[in-house]
């Protein structure tokens, strides 16, 4: 029967189940009393809803006195960590795989460096599949795997996870998601690594509580993820956010994408390392060494940090003017440069920023380099968080 608002009783029940499960997933164990106040429902309704989630083996309940006081015990609704997903971050230099329980805790993790010549999709699918199977085998038969989420540094089609273009992996028009799902015989969801980084920082990191969010991370390239009104800004096909390929210098150099003067040709790990006279490919530890050398007075290192900081500010200036965010979260090399040369980045931003700079909060990613990995876990959890009643039956 429809309610006076036009929403059926079943639809309302599903919405309330979803709200309870999302709350305990993102905030951890939560009392029934808190859920009652938050959702505006009576205690008996909350009890019935949490009972249904228990029957679906998604939550359990614990009884304890509130704050150790005597009196009526509090029913604590706890996400069951035997509901798991496997999160994967396919980076340029490594693959990271994590087993994540409902509630967001990382239960196990594996990292594997790419070998030279192993960026082709067949090698990556095989390596990822082996790592996924390994963490699930170690977890044992008592866990219920709800799916696999993957972060990829490239343009990923939202509707099916088709990788349109991942230049730093050398991928063009690659059905990666279908290939991995077939290999694992499990549901797989794939997203752009920066989009998933933005999601993770919004749910569990530096952007909690904000609705207008920019997440930027630089390693070999630069990725950008955006939230508008608290929702992902994806574009018509899911390709929005390729800020690394926005032109900032008409004089060059030529980018891997074929254009001239893209932002990622001015900012990134290998750019900074080359400017400082180091070999490329050292990753964050090599960037940290250059920054420390600059602080110690090495002229070439200091000039390299200053130049990259300047271009960092130029790019941020355009992004702030274009998107008017509440918060900008920086990851990877951008975060390292920001920490080392915040004043110079701010100076470059202030040269022609049309919007008030003081209104924008700039923060380093709270989840560090794991933002895309944690975001991949949230992507995999999304179907059951969106519809708890559709969860696979517990074995």
């Amino acid at each position: 029967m429809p309610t006076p608002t036009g929403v059926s009783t079943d639809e309302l029940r599903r919405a309330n189940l979803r709200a309870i499960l999302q709350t305990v997933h993102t905030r951890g164990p939560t009392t029934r009393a808190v859920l009652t106040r938050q959702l505006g429902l009576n205690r008996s309704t909350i009890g019935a809803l949490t009972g249904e989630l228990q029957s679906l083996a998604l939550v359990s309940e614990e009884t304890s006195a509130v704050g150790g006081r005597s009196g009526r015990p509090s029913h604590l609704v706890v996400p069951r960590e035997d509901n798991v997903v496997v999160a994967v971050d396919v980076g340029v230099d490594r693959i990271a795989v994590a087993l994540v329980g409902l509630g967001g805790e990382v239960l196990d993790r594996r990292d594997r460096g790419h070998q030279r010549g192993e960026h082709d999709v067949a090698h990556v699918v095989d390596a990822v599949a082996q790592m996924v199977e390994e963490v699930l085998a170690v977890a044992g038969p008592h866990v219920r795997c709800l799916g696999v989420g993957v972060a990829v540094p490239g343009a990923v089609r939202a509707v099916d996870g088709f990788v349109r273009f991942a230049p730093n992996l050398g991928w063009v028009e690659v059905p990666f998601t279908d290939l991995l799902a077939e290999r694992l015989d499990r549901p797989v969801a794939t997203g752009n690594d920066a989009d998933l980084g933005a999601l993770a920082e919004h749910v569990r990191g530096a952007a909690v509580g904000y609705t207008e969010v920019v997440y930027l991370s630089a390693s070999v390239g630069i990725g950008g993820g955006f939230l508008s009104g608290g929702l992902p800004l994806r574009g018509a096909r899911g390709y929005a956010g390729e800020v690394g390929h926005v032109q900032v210098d008409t004089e060059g150099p030529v980018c891997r994408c074929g254009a001239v003067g893209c932002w990622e040709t001015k900012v990134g790990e290998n750019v900074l390392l080359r400017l400082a006279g180091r070999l490329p490919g050292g990753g964050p530890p090599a960037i940290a060494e250059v920054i420390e050398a600059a602080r110690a007075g090495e002229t070439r290192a200091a000039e390299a940090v200053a130049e990259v900081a300047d271009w960092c500010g130029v790019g941020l200036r355009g992004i702030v003017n274009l998107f008017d965010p509440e918060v900008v979260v920086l990851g990877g090399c951008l975060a390292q440069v920001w920490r080392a040369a915040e004043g110079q980045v701010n100076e470059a931003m202030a040269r022609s920023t049309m919007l008030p700079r003081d209104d924008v909060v700039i923060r380093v990613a709270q989840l560090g380099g794991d933002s895309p990995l944690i975001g991949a876990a949230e992507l995999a959890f999304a179907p059951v968080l969106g519809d708890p009643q559709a969860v696979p039956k517990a074995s």
Side-chain angles (χ1 to χ4, degrees):
M1 295 292 294
T3 66
T5 61
V7 178
S8 73
T9 302
D10 285 344
E11 289 172 326
L12 187 60
R13 186 176 187 83
R14 283 196 296 272
N16 288 330
L17 285 170
R18 180 167 61 244
I20 292 173
L21 188 60
Q22 288 175 349
T23 297
V24 298
H25 173 65
T26 57
R27 299 185 182 179
T30 308
T31 64
R32 283 194 196 177
V34 169
L35 292 170
T36 298
R37 290 195 300 270
Q38 182 173 309
L39 299 182
L41 302 172
N42 60 47
R43 287 183 296 177
S44 62
T45 300
I46 289 292
L49 291 168
T50 57
E52 183 168 349
L53 291 173
Q54 286 184 79
S55 71
L56 294 169
L58 290 169
V59 304
S60 60
E61 282 198 334
E62 300 174 1
T63 304
S64 61
V66 178
R69 296 175 296 176
S70 60
R72 175 177 290 182
S74 171
H75 295 275
L76 197 63
V77 183
V78 181
R80 285 186 49 166
E81 289 186 348
D82 53 351
N83 294 284
V84 302
V85 299
V86 183
V88 181
D89 181 14
V90 179
V92 176
D93 59 350
R94 66 174 177 87
I95 298 169
V97 170
L99 187 74
V100 183
L102 188 65
E105 183 176 349
V106 176
L107 306 174
D108 191 8
R109 175 178 177 146
R110 310 293 163 93
D111 289 84
R112 175 187 184 275
H114 284 300
Q115 301 301 314
R116 186 179 297 276
E118 288 190 352
H119 281 131
D120 65 280
V121 69
H123 274 105
V124 172
V125 167
D126 189 53
V128 169
Q130 289 182 34
M131 295 173 74
V132 170
E133 290 163 350
E134 181 181 344
V135 295
L136 288 173
V138 171
H142 70 283
V143 300
R144 174 169 57 174
C145 182
L146 303 176
V148 177
V150 187
V152 170
V156 180
R157 192 162 63 196
V159 66
D160 58 2
F162 184 86
V163 180
R164 171 69 183 84
F165 184 46
N168 295 319
L169 295 176
W171 293 1
V172 178
E173 303 283 350
V174 172
F176 170 79
T177 305
D178 288 344
L179 292 171
L180 183 60
E182 182 179 0
R183 172 72 165 74
L184 291 171
D185 193 25
R186 294 181 183 277
V188 175
T190 302
N192 169 265
D193 58 350
D195 287 341
L196 297 180
L199 172 63
E201 292 292 335
H202 184 239
V203 173
R204 304 188 182 278
V208 170
Y210 294 95
T211 60
E212 307 300 322
V213 178
V214 171
Y215 170 84
L216 302 167
S217 185
S219 55
V220 175
I222 302 176
F226 302 84
L227 298 177
S228 179
L231 299 174
L233 182 64
R234 301 197 186 283
R237 291 155 294 172
Y239 301 149
E242 291 296 328
V243 294
H245 299 286
V246 172
Q247 188 183 58
V248 295
D249 184 3
T250 58
E251 302 283 318
V254 177
C255 179
R256 279 181 296 271
C257 73
V260 172
C262 292
W263 191 27
E264 73 173 43
T265 68
K266 300 293 186 176
V267 175
E269 290 177 357
N270 290 338
V271 175
L272 179 57
L273 293 173
R274 284 195 298 268
L275 289 172
R278 272 67 168 177
L279 292 173
I287 300 301
E289 184 276 323
V290 171
I291 290 171
E292 187 56 36
R295 287 177 180 149
E298 183 185 319
T299 301
R300 188 168 182 180
E303 290 175 347
V305 172
E307 181 169 345
V308 170
D310 194 68
W311 284 111
C312 178
V314 169
L316 285 172
R317 183 176 69 213
I319 288 167
V320 168
N321 284 337
L322 184 61
F323 291 99
D324 187 21
E326 296 173 286
V327 61
V328 177
V329 180
L330 302 178
C333 180
L334 290 177
Q336 291 177 282
V337 171
W338 168 257
R339 286 193 187 102
E342 179 179 345
Q344 186 162 354
V345 175
N346 283 338
E347 182 182 347
M349 286 185 66
R351 286 177 197 149
S352 62
T353 304
M354 300 186 325
L355 300 176
R357 163 66 183 83
D358 292 343
D359 292 345
V360 181
V361 177
I362 298 182
R363 292 180 172 173
V364 170
Q366 186 173 317
L367 301 172
D370 284 343
S371 299
L373 185 67
I374 301 303
E378 295 299 326
L379 181 66
F381 275 124
V384 70
L385 293 174
D387 185 6
Q389 292 173 319
V391 68
K393 297 297 183 183
S395 55

